[in-house]
Amino acid sequence: MIRSAAILALTLSSVVAWTPETATRRQALSNLATAAASAAVVVAAPSAATAIDACDPGSNNCVRAKWTPPSGTSKAAAAKAVREALNAYPQSGQEGGKVDGGGWAIVKDDLDGSGTAALEYKSAGTGFFAKAFNGGKPFVDDLKVEIEDGGVVQIRSASRIGDSDFGVNGKRVDALTSGLKAKGWSV
């Protein structure tokens, strides 16, 4: 972010340095357009550490966490450990199927490349709320993972619909976290 601010300041300083003696109005407008375009690129470019959206304030259906590997863990080793933790999650869910009883699927796995992964978790679709409000279809939650260059992992688990998940996303993240804590990771 500091580098982006420095680029923006340098670009804008070229516009501010214009005087009638050193350039024409056409050159000044050209410089201004270049500065504006550069500013738009700098401001619009997301940093890798913030690619995963934050949960809305007061949200009852979203959990965001940060996992820190043991000191000296490479990004590749972190990717391997995270993949193992994700794959260790039971397809039958937790609490006798009350949490994620409809299983889960990996939608995207680029942990070794870009450091990102996306998974879908489904409820069993048999509970009262699934029957009453979702036509008996399972509720679907999305889990997104991003590994930063230093091996730190950002994770977000959120329900696609509804205002509350009755703690399901938190239970899922806690279960995944416990596998990594056993390997020396901190939360």
Side-chain angles (χ1 to χ4, degrees), residues 78-102:
K80 181 180 180 207
V82 168
R83 187 176 290 111
E84 288 171 357
L86 294 171
N87 286 324
Y89 193 83
Q91 278 291 338
S92 59
Q94 303 178 64
E95 300 178 11
K98 290 180 183 177
V99 175
D100 301 327

Side-chain angles (χ1 to χ4, degrees), residues 22-88:
T22 61
T24 66
R25 283 186 290 183
R26 181 173 293 186
Q27 288 170 324
L29 288 174
S30 175
N31 288 349
L32 181 60
T34 301
S38 297
V41 169
V42 168
V43 172
S47 74
T50 59
I52 293 181
D53 295 334
C55 295
D56 291 334
S59 174
N60 293 319
N61 66 351
C62 180
V63 174
R64 179 134 189 229
K66 178 175 150 182
W67 298 333
T68 306
S71 180
T73 302
S74 68
K75 185 176 179 180
K80 181 180 180 207
V82 168
R83 187 176 290 111
E84 288 171 357
L86 294 171
N87 286 324

Side-chain angles (χ1 to χ4, degrees), residues 82-185:
V82 168
R83 187 176 290 111
E84 288 171 357
L86 294 171
N87 286 324
Y89 193 83
Q91 278 291 338
S92 59
Q94 303 178 64
E95 300 178 11
K98 290 180 183 177
V99 175
D100 301 327
W104 56 271
I106 297 173
V107 177
K108 172 189 168 194
D109 180 354
D110 193 27
L111 291 174
D112 297 322
S114 66
T116 60
L119 294 88
E120 288 181 348
Y121 292 82
K122 294 182 180 179
S123 71
T126 58
F128 170 77
F129 289 101
K131 290 177 183 174
F133 299 109
N134 208 30
K137 297 176 190 167
F139 288 106
V140 180
D141 296 341
D142 295 301
L143 184 122
K144 297 191 185 294
V145 178
E146 178 184 313
I147 304 174
E148 299 171 2
D149 288 336
V152 173
V153 177
Q154 300 286 338
I155 186 167
R156 180 179 191 266
S157 185
S159 302
R160 287 188 185 171
I161 62 171
D163 294 327
S164 178
D165 66 358
F166 300 100
V168 169
N169 285 293
K171 291 175 184 178
R172 178 183 309 118
V173 171
D174 288 347
L176 295 169
T177 300
S178 67
L180 291 172
K181 276 186 175 180
K183 296 179 180 182
W185 288 57

Side-chain angles (χ1 to χ4, degrees), residues 7-26:
I7 293 169
L8 180 60
L10 287 172
T11 305
L12 292 176
S13 69
S14 68
V15 174
V16 174
W18 176 82
T19 63
E21 296 81 28
T22 61
T24 66
R25 283 186 290 183
R26 181 173 293 186

